[in-house]
Amino acid sequence: MSFAERLKSLIGEESVSGFARRVDISEALIRKYLKGSEPSLAKANQIAMKANCSLEWLATGCGYLYRQAEVVDKIALYAAFSHLYGREPSETEAEKLTKMVTGYQYLRTHKKADGYLDIQGMATFLQLAKQDEPE
């Protein structure tokens, strides 16, 4: 998969102009990358950081799509739940907890330029993360 294909995958259903604003790069430059031009390391890193993507995945296709900050340590999460409630979480509770912590971590690391939380970005991230889950 080429850089352009990975970028297109990262943009997903979001508009190119919306994605460009989110990563703070001109729409013209994003379109240039989508046509096959390769970004500098600095620009690729900027895209990765602002789109919550692993730079390794964006640049090479290897590794994880999302940065490790969004990977939930389920053992720690379930241990905390067990400590607080005196029991293991049910399968449904575990799924909801994982989704909640993932969403929280996304919001914590991705604020809009005006300082507000990026709820739409979180929703897109959670949808993409769900698609990446193994069956």
Side-chain angles (χ1 to χ4, degrees):
M1 185 185 297
S2 69
F3 178 85
E5 291 168 323
R6 287 188 297 279
L7 182 59
K8 184 176 181 179
S9 173
L10 189 59
I11 293 170
E13 297 296 316
E14 189 174 2
S15 71
V16 173
S17 61
F19 181 81
R21 280 191 304 276
R22 184 159 60 96
V23 299
D24 199 24
I25 292 178
S26 74
E27 182 179 347
L29 193 52
I30 295 295
R31 289 190 185 283
K32 184 177 173 183
Y33 297 152
L34 288 169
K35 289 181 181 173
S37 181
E38 295 280 330
S40 68
L41 180 58
K43 288 295 184 190
N45 188 52
Q46 181 177 341
I47 293 168
M49 293 295 289
K50 300 239 178 180
N52 189 42
C53 170
S54 158
L55 176 59
E56 178 185 19
W57 178 84
L58 185 60
T60 68
C62 297
Y64 294 101
L65 170 58
Y66 298 107
R67 292 193 331 241
Q68 294 299 311
E70 269 55 49
V71 175
V72 175
D73 182 342
K74 292 180 182 179
I75 294 171
L77 178 62
Y78 302 160
F81 181 95
S82 296
H83 176 76
L84 290 170
Y85 298 105
R87 63 180 177 79
E88 296 291 319
S90 70
E91 192 172 315
T92 301
E93 288 171 325
E95 186 177 315
K96 287 180 180 179
L97 282 168
T98 301
K99 193 171 191 177
M100 181 188 70
V101 171
T102 302
Y104 162 77
Q105 290 180 164
Y106 179 90
L107 290 172
R108 182 178 54 82
T109 58
H110 294 83
K111 295 213 171 143
K112 293 181 179 181
D114 59 10
Y116 287 96
L117 297 175
D118 187 2
I119 303 296
Q120 182 58 47
M122 178 195 66
T124 300
F125 172 77
L126 290 173
Q127 186 62 38
L128 288 171
K130 184 175 183 175
Q131 291 172 5
D132 275 357
E133 289 176 357
E135 306 254 343

